[in-house]
Structures are given as structure tokens and as C-alpha cells.
Amino acid sequence: MPRSLSCYRCGERYDDDRVRCACGEPLWIDARPTAFSWDDCRSWDGMWRYEALLPIDRPEGVSRAAGGTPLVRSPGLDEVAGARVFVKDEGESPTGAYKDRGSAVAVPHTIATGDDVVGTVSYGNMAISTAAHATSLDRECVVFVPADIPAGRLEHIARYEPTVVQVDGDYGELYGDALDLSERLPIDVLVSDAPTRISGYKTALFEICESFAPEMPDVIALPASSGGFASGVWLGIRDLERAGLIDESPRLCLVQTAASDPLTRAFEAGATDPTPLSPDETGETIAHSIGNPNPPSGARALAAVRDTDGAVVSVTDDEIRTATRQFAVDGGFCVEPSSATTLAGVSRLADRGEIDADESVVLVPTGTGFKESGAGGTDVSTEKVHRDDLADRLASMLPA
């Protein structure tokens, strides 16, 4: 497959393994498919059915289990969302999050290029995923986390036994530090928008489109943090357009937490680039995994939204709590709060008349809620009944 690194903004091309263009924007791997059809990808399950559009051959390890998550029609969520809802449940991934798609390409790729040690900057799903994929290929992994990381998150990361380094100082600056460390030391720190990660993320779009083919969904709604996932979905759209498999792309709708929403602010202001938010402009949120005040792929995510005539919207923690409950009670899905933003955001867009009731909307919960402890604010109510009285108690509860 012909491929090279390219910049979506200025068009510059590179043949090395850098992450960012000289113009400052992130790069991606341009597959430039000359011929591809859905019939070409029937041999494998999961994301490797699209091997022809990926920069590496199907690897060993847990990477083979990535992708292939279910797309489910969920009519119970229609009334809440104000549209016809489909759910692409990325919580079914090997480590419970869409990050496995990126790690499935990025980790084997970096090992193949000669780096024995893999690293990442994350205190959530990306750290867990990178560590899992590295250990499945018998490689060392170093994870950089903030000094004040909650014990629960640290436990999820530590089960894969990476080297965990708690870093004092401005954690937001570690993105730039990671790029520098990868150049100076024998470690490849796979940041959130590493080009190989973006290539893996686009397979979620391929799976959605193949499931709908020959039609297309009207809207795809994603939680937005670094802008990496939105970039991958947009890259996938471009690949399918070049292959002649789609004529009109789905509208991309990105949803942020109102506690940290630089993309929403930039979109509403008509800006091309988001302005990083200061500590005074951000707040605490239950959607901690998308509370990114300075998204490294923010401008590219905004370009993706505008190219597809989409939207960016923010939702409050109260709306997120409600949506988390609705995902479970009305849809049967246990999603993390960050993922519940998709339902809350689509509902808000429908209320504003930007999504119609007869339109098909794919919500993409990017992570399972089973890793979360108490984040949904669920009230638990039980009663105790002696087993001798159980039949009578059930008889009083059930319909006659």
C-alpha cells in the first residue's frame, strides 16, 4: 500500500517517523487507496479486515483482538436523543476502550522499527491500552502519569506491570516532553495523536460504514478530548471517499465537557485553532478523560467537523450523569461518563433543530463504565426479605 506522512493543513509530506509537521500541525499516514471494496475485507474479523488500508501487516498479541465492536440499533434511546439511535460500543475492546484500535497499530509498528521500549503519557484508557499491547508482545512499557493520580486508575494501569512514573510539575506540558524524549532516548513515547494511532482509529469509521452500506448514517457523535479520535474518523472518511465507497460523508458531532471545552469555544467563535484554556477557565468534571484544556489535534478536529458540516457542543456534569443513567436504563449500556456525553450532546443538538427525529445517529461510547467506581452517582436501593417470604413478596411486586 503506497503511504507517507502528510499534513492535512499545508500538504507537506515526510518519509520518517515524526509526529508533527514543520507548520506545527499533527501528521497522519496517508493510505491513498487506489482500489478497495467491502468485498476485499471478508477474510478476517475485527479491525484487521481492513489490513489493506493500514500501515502494518496483522501483528501478533492482543492487537489481533482489537476492533470488531458491535453496532447496535437502540430504539430505547430514540426519545432521549431525538433521533434514530445506533450505538457503536467501543467498551467491548480488549481493555474496554477505543484506544485499543490505536495501540493495535502503534505498538507493533514502533517495535518493528527497532524500539524495544514503548511509552505513553496518560493516566487513563491510553495508558492501560498501551501497557496491555506492549506486554502482549513481550516489550517493556513506561507510563508517565501525574503525581496526584487516583489510586483506582493507577491500579488499572499497574495490572499490566509497566514501569509507572509519577511526574510532578505541569502535566499538560508532557506532550512536548514526550516528543523530545522519543528523539533523545531509546524509547518511543506514543502520544495521543501519533500517526500510527490515528491509522488505527479510522477502523471504527470503516466498521460503521460497512455495517450501513450501501447507505450511510447521518451523524456520528464522538466524545472529544485531544482530537485524535475525531482525526482518525475523518481520515477514514477521506480514505473511503478516495476509494469511491461513499459519496456523502456522515456529519461529525463532537461533544465536550463544559468544564474544559476549548473546541466548543473555537467552533462557536468560528476560529480555525482552539485557544488553550488557563487553569482559571477549567473546572473539575466527572468526564475526566476528556477534560483536555489544550488538545494537540484540536485544529484538525475542528477541520473535520467543518468538512463534514458537523457541530461541536458542550454538556454539563448534570447532563452527563443523566445521560449515563439513560444509557444504562433505556439502552442497557454501561458507559463511562465521558462516553455518555455523546447522548447528552446529540439530545442538545436535536433540541436546537440541528438533528432531525428521522435521522440515523451513531453514538460512539469510547469506554466501558465498568472501570468507573461511583462516577455515575447512582443511588442503590435494596430491600431484605427472608427466603421463607420470598414468594409472597414477589407476588406483591409482579403483575397479577
Side-chain angles (χ1 to χ4, degrees), residues 8 25 30-31 42 49 75 77 93 127 169 204 235 266-267 285 310 349 361 369 374:
Y8 79 96
E25 282 301 290
D30 193 349
R42 306 298 186 190
R49 65 196 289 108
L77 296 175
S93 302
L235 179 60
F267 180 77
T285 177
L349 290 170
V361 175

Side-chain angles (χ1 to χ4, degrees), residues 26-85:
L27 300 168
W28 56 23
I29 297 172
D30 193 349
R32 291 197 170 276
T34 54
F36 178 79
S37 72
W38 298 126
D39 290 334
D40 296 332
C41 59
R42 306 298 186 190
S43 300
W44 302 105
D45 293 326
M47 61 182 279
W48 297 104
R49 65 196 289 108
Y50 313 110
E51 185 177 17
L53 300 180
L54 293 172
I56 64 169
D57 295 333
R58 188 170 61 106
E60 301 295 330
V62 76
S63 294
R64 291 201 175 193
T69 57
L71 179 70
V72 180
R73 173 75 175 101
S74 188
L77 296 175
D78 288 358
E79 184 176 355
V80 174
R84 298 178 64 250
V85 173

Side-chain angles (χ1 to χ4, degrees), residues 165-196:
V165 180
Q166 292 181 258
V167 182
D168 279 318
D170 187 344
Y171 190 71
E173 296 297 322
L174 270 181
Y175 176 92
D177 295 342
L179 299 182
D180 181 58
L181 290 170
S182 294
E183 291 183 359
R184 295 193 294 111
L185 298 173
I187 180 175
D188 192 355
V189 185
L190 297 169
V191 291
S192 60
D193 56 1
T196 44

